[in-house]
Amino acid sequence: LELGDAALFKLLGTWIEKRVAEFTPQGVAAVANAYAKVKIRDLPLFTALGETVSDRLLPRLEPQHVANLLNAYARLQISDHSVLKQLVSLVPARVHSFGPVEVAATVNAVTKLSIAEHRALLSLASTVKERASELRAKQLA
């Protein structure tokens, strides 16, 4: 990442913070994922993303969004306990609709973040066991 790229991401982060209420679940997950991929830990941006997830988007999140958001928080080691708890609380009821990629990403994120949400962990463990043939070892490494 070049210095100019970091400056651009900071500028974009400020713009996104002001307009985050306009973002869809896919948009919020994509922004979080993009910042995680380039390893830019913009806490004010993630605070704004977390607030819009909590206030407006939580019921509309699909498995991919949940997995991508958890993965972004994990990659950047952002411990917004309120948002993480809400995201993880969606797992038990929705894990049946997670694809192999979402299952693996969620397991990895929950592990990296040391989230001890018993129901979510049990549902993920059960899903991994039931769908082991669909998962690749690399996904769970």
Side-chain angles (χ1 to χ4, degrees):
L1 194 64
E2 300 289 324
L3 184 59
D5 295 333
L8 175 62
F9 271 89
K10 183 62 183 161
L11 181 65
L12 286 172
T14 302
W15 183 86
I16 292 166
E17 286 174 50
K18 293 176 185 171
R19 303 196 61 168
V20 74
E22 300 170 28
F23 281 60
T24 63
Q26 179 64 36
V28 169
V31 167
N33 195 40
Y35 276 75
K37 281 187 177 186
V38 295
K39 297 181 179 136
I40 294 180
R41 195 172 188 266
D42 186 332
L43 294 179
L45 172 63
F46 273 80
T47 297
L49 294 175
E51 287 172 358
T52 202
V53 165
S54 296
D55 295 345
R56 189 172 65 79
L57 298 179
L58 200 64
R60 296 175 39 210
L61 295 177
E62 294 184 19
Q64 179 185 4
H65 308 139
V66 174
N68 284 347
L69 285 164
L70 285 169
N71 191 47
Y73 278 85
R75 287 184 82 182
L76 296 172
Q77 288 297 296
I78 297 174
S79 296
D80 185 332
H81 296 291
S82 174
V83 173
L84 294 173
K85 184 177 180 176
Q86 290 178 47
L87 289 170
V88 171
S89 74
L90 297 174
V91 172
R94 299 185 185 180
V95 75
H96 65 280
S97 62
F98 281 39
V101 172
E102 289 88 10
V103 170
T106 302
V107 167
N108 283 323
V110 168
T111 303
K112 285 179 187 172
L113 291 164
S114 300
I115 297 173
E117 166 51 48
H118 190 69
R119 286 187 58 224
L121 293 172
L122 286 176
S123 65
L124 285 166
S126 175
T127 300
V128 167
K129 184 178 177 182
E130 291 169 10
R131 299 173 69 186
S133 65
E134 298 175 45
L135 298 168
R136 289 178 271 147
K138 183 179 177 180
Q139 290 175 311
L140 296 173

